[in-house]
């Protein structure tokens, strides 16, 4: 996807630079790393000095924005150089300029759990009626903003962006470039405490969403989420929309049921009731759908238009996906990510789907929690105790804390702890059958959990012998 074209002359003015070599060609693509240059007429913001042009030749003409002072004999004729004092500063100047060329609704989504799903649902709904630019899956780092913003074209009608919080200031930074008109906070659990230090600091970081919306903006919140309630909304002058189960909310869900392919419920909106069907299991999926519906209505759709496409929405891989696997057991693969919030949601789905069948939970380590590791894993153990399982298997050194704490609380379950997935697999081979439901919950970056989930779904897999 190409960006709205701009000339090298115009770009040099925007970034406070000057053309020191080459013609003023039109630019159609942008990059900030060499490997991102995949088209002719690309502008590359780069700090490093380029010593060899061989790999870049297929993409000439090329525009460089750089602080390096090249001599004329070093440069191919089809390379235009815009010299600046600092290429990174020029990069953000241009990003800021590019976004300001467009007046369009922009939805920004944050939260501990559900933000990628809510973003994908919102994108799915709006794409049925409008041209949408959106972030891909859960790729939401600061440097990724540039490529997403350049995907906004003259005929783009709405943009949907996921804004992550790794540290305080991340949402403020994202907001300065995305300039959202609609914000969503899905929920606030305990995550990224390695940078935010405390839960209060994490709540404050999420509440930056209020600051990046102007007085004409709309904020959508989960009114049932305890930590979201701790935000001081008095400083927000825009429109506040609440979703939840109470009929006092702007969008309220009732008659929530597990259907054949997902969740079914009624949404109460402006005195009327509407039936909703959405793929994917769990009450948390209802909240994701409510937020996506509310955002789509704010962008300009009717409530009926917003609801209809949810029937064809398909959940992301490894987010509570169902498979038949080991010994005929039902496998719930939820190895996309793990927080205490998503763990509780996964266990609720396990209990709903299992009914009277044997409930097996395999839980991996929770990451990005810094010095809070012991406390958060104990909190996870309490969640497991409260929801209940028949067999609990933890995988990983820190994950063992969950099992130990659940036992301390008096859980009525067989509890096992392993440091690798192969040993867990051998145990499961003897414990489960067609009357078992297995939830495997972990992080997409955990090779151990990824492989164990794959092997549980593969009936033919034979693990290696020691």
């Amino acid at each position: 996807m190409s960006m709205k074209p701009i000339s090298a002359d115009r770009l040099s003015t925007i970034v406070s630079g000057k053309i020191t070599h080459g013609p003023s060609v039109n630019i159609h693509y942008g990059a900030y790393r060499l490997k991102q240059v995949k088209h002719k007429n690309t502008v590359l913001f780069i700090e490093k000095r380029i010593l060899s042009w061989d790999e870049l030749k297929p993409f000439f003409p090329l525009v460089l924005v750089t602080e390096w002072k090249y001599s004329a004999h070093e440069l191919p004729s089809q390379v235009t150089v815009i010299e600046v004092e600092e290429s990174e500063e020029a990069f953000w100047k241009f990003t800021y300029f590019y976004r300001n060329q467009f007046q369009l609704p922009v939805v920004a989504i944050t939260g501990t759990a559900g933000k990628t799903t809510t973003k994908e649902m919102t994108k799915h709904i709006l794409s049925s009626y409008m041209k949408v630019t959106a972030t891909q899956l859960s790729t939401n780092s600061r440097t990724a903003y540039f490529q997403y913003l350049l995907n906004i074209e003259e005929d783009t009608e709405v943009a949907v962006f996921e804004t992550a919080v790794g540290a305080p200031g991340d949402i403020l930074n994202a907001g300065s470039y995305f300039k959202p008109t609609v914000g969503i906070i899905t929920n606030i659990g305990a995550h990224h405490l390695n940078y935010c230090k405390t839960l209060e600091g994490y709540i404050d970081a999420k509440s930056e969403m209020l600051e990046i919306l102007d007085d004409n903006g709309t904020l959508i919140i989960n009114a049932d989420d305890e930590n979201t309630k701790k935000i001081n909304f008095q400083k927000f002058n825009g429109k506040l929309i609440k979703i939840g189960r109470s009929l006092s909310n702007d969008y309220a869900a009732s008659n929530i049921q597990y259907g054949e392919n997902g969740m079914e419920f009624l949404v109460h909106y402006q005195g009327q009731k509407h039936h909703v069907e959405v793929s994917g299991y769990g009450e948390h999926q209802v909240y994701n759908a409510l937020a996506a519906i509310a955002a789509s209505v704010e962008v300009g759709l009717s409530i009926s238009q917003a609801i209809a496409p949810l029937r064809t929405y398909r959940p992301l891989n490894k987010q509570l996906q169902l498979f038949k696997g080991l010994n005929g057991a039902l496998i719930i693969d939820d190895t996309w990510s793990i927080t205490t919030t998503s763990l509780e949601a996964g266990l609720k789905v396990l209990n709903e789907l299992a009914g009277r069948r044997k409930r097996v939970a395999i839980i991996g380590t929770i990451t990005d929690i810094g010095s809070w590791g012991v406390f958060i894993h104990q909190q996870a153990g309490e969640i497991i105790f409260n929801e209940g399982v028949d067999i609990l298997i933890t995988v990983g050194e820190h994950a063992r804390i969950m099992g130990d704490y659940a036992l301390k609380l008096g859980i009525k379950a067989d509890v096992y702890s392993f440091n690798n997935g192969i040993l867990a697999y051998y145990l499961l081979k003897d414990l489960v059958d067609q009357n078992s439901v297995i939830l495997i919950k972990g992080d997409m970056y955990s090779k151990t959990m990824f492989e164990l989930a794959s092997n549980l779904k593969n009936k033919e897999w034979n693990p290696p012998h020691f």
Side-chain angles (χ1 to χ4, degrees):
M1 189 181 292
S2 64
M3 60 185 246
K4 182 179 179 179
I6 187 172
S7 71
D9 272 335
R10 179 81 177 102
L11 176 60
S12 66
T13 302
I14 294 162
V15 299
S16 305
K18 62 177 181 178
I19 295 179
T20 58
H21 182 272
S24 178
V25 297
N26 279 338
I27 301 161
H28 297 271
Y29 301 91
Y32 53 89
R33 291 178 185 150
L34 281 169
K35 65 180 182 181
Q36 292 176 337
V37 180
K38 297 178 180 178
H39 304 277
K40 296 176 184 290
N41 296 88
T42 294
V43 56
L44 172 61
F45 294 82
I46 189 166
E47 294 178 357
K48 297 178 181 177
R49 190 183 193 95
I50 298 175
L51 301 175
S52 172
W53 300 94
D54 292 344
E55 291 185 12
L56 290 170
K57 279 182 180 176
F59 310 118
F60 288 174
L62 178 72
V63 177
L64 287 189
V65 176
T66 181
E67 54 259 59
W68 282 101
K69 298 182 186 301
Y70 289 92
S71 55
H73 72 272
E74 293 180 85
L75 297 165
S77 60
Q78 287 189 285
V79 172
T80 300
V81 174
I82 299 176
E83 199 175 291
V84 294
E85 287 190 15
E86 188 182 3
S87 57
E88 185 176 358
E89 182 185 349
F91 168 79
W92 292 114
K93 274 184 180 178
F94 175 64
T95 305
Y96 186 80
F97 159 81
Y98 192 81
R99 168 64 184 95
N100 282 328
Q101 291 188 99
F102 303 94
Q103 296 297 319
L104 76 169
V106 174
V107 181
I109 303 163
T110 194
T112 301
K115 57 182 176 293
T116 301
T117 299
T118 302
K119 183 260 299 178
E120 290 295 321
M121 281 186 184
T122 306
K123 173 185 170 184
H124 180 76
I125 293 168
L126 294 174
S127 294
S128 301
Y129 309 98
M130 312 164 88
K131 181 169 181 185
V132 180
T133 290
T135 44
Q136 299 298 312
L137 296 179
S138 61
T139 305
N140 50 33
S141 66
R142 180 174 185 248
T143 48
Y145 302 162
F146 180 64
Q147 294 295 342
Y148 294 135
L149 287 171
L150 293 193
N151 286 342
I152 298 176
E153 298 175 291
E154 296 204 63
D155 58 348
T156 298
E157 295 173 275
V158 61
V160 184
F161 295 131
E162 180 179 334
T163 55
V165 169
D170 281 354
I171 290 181
L172 285 176
N173 189 276
S176 67
Y177 298 104
F178 288 151
K179 297 188 180 303
T181 57
V182 178
I184 299 173
I185 302 175
T186 58
N187 50 56
I188 305 175
H191 200 43
H192 291 300
L193 299 182
N194 47 344
Y195 293 109
C196 297
K197 306 303 181 188
T198 65
L199 177 58
E200 288 72 24
Y202 184 57
I203 293 170
D204 287 344
K206 289 292 186 189
S207 69
E208 291 172 7
M209 181 64 79
L210 280 65
E211 299 178 55
I212 66 174
L213 293 164
D214 64 25
D215 290 352
N216 296 316
T218 299
L219 177 63
I220 299 165
I221 62 164
N222 176 352
D224 295 342
D225 182 65
E226 290 302 318
N227 286 328
T228 302
K229 293 176 185 176
K230 297 174 184 177
I231 293 174
N232 179 12
F233 292 103
Q234 289 184 335
K235 59 183 178 180
F236 181 62
N237 296 318
K239 180 180 180 182
L240 185 65
I241 290 178
K242 296 180 180 181
I243 64 168
R245 300 190 67 156
S246 168
L247 292 180
S248 64
N249 291 310
D250 300 286
Y251 294 80
S254 70
N255 294 56
I256 299 172
Q257 299 176 35
Y258 277 66
E260 188 174 336
N261 298 307
M263 306 305 293
E264 297 183 21
F265 62 98
L266 293 177
V267 59
H268 300 253
Y269 173 70
Q270 293 187 345
Q272 294 187 321
K273 292 182 287 188
H274 305 265
H275 182 252
V276 181
E277 295 177 25
V278 60
S279 300
Y281 290 104
E283 287 193 8
H284 64 285
Q285 199 75 324
V286 173
Y287 286 94
N288 295 337
L290 283 176
I293 291 167
S296 299
V297 171
E298 285 304 300
V299 166
L301 301 186
S302 68
I303 183 88
S304 299
Q305 286 176 317
I307 289 170
L310 284 173
R311 292 182 179 179
T312 57
Y313 169 76
R314 291 293 171 263
L316 298 168
N317 287 337
K318 299 188 169 297
Q319 290 197 354
L320 294 169
Q321 281 189 302
L322 306 187
F323 300 89
K324 277 288 185 182
L326 180 65
N327 297 344
L330 177 65
I331 312 297
I332 308 172
D333 184 353
D334 198 23
T335 51
W336 177 268
S337 65
I338 180 168
T339 63
T340 51
T341 306
S342 64
L343 172 60
E344 185 174 9
L347 289 168
K348 287 182 185 297
V349 172
L350 169 63
N351 278 299
E352 285 287 345
L353 293 181
R356 295 188 177 184
R357 290 179 287 182
K358 186 187 295 180
R359 302 163 299 165
V360 182
I362 311 166
I363 315 295
T365 298
I366 302 173
T367 57
D368 288 338
I369 49 179
S371 61
W372 288 75
V374 172
F375 175 77
I376 297 299
H377 282 92
Q378 287 179 341
Q379 195 176 58
E382 185 175 358
I383 290 168
I384 296 166
F385 169 75
N386 289 334
E387 295 301 326
V389 295
D390 299 307
I391 297 173
L392 171 63
I393 299 172
T394 65
V395 180
E397 186 177 344
H398 287 95
R400 179 188 295 268
I401 298 169
M402 301 182 203
D404 291 344
Y405 199 72
L407 284 169
K408 182 180 177 180
L409 293 173
I411 191 170
K412 305 297 183 186
D414 297 325
V415 180
Y416 305 87
S417 296
F418 299 105
N419 282 334
N420 68 69
I422 293 174
L423 293 175
Y425 182 89
Y426 273 120
L427 175 67
L428 287 162
K429 208 170 183 182
D430 293 331
L431 290 181
V432 303
D433 55 26
Q434 67 272 19
N435 290 314
S436 305
V437 181
I438 304 171
L439 168 70
I440 178 163
K441 180 71 180 166
D443 191 287
M444 71 176 86
Y445 300 111
S446 169
K447 184 179 178 183
T448 297
M449 297 301 285
F450 178 87
E451 289 181 347
L452 180 56
S454 298
N455 295 330
L456 288 172
K457 292 182 283 189
N458 181 357
K459 301 174 190 178
E460 306 301 321
W461 187 67
N462 290 308
H465 292 280
F466 293 105

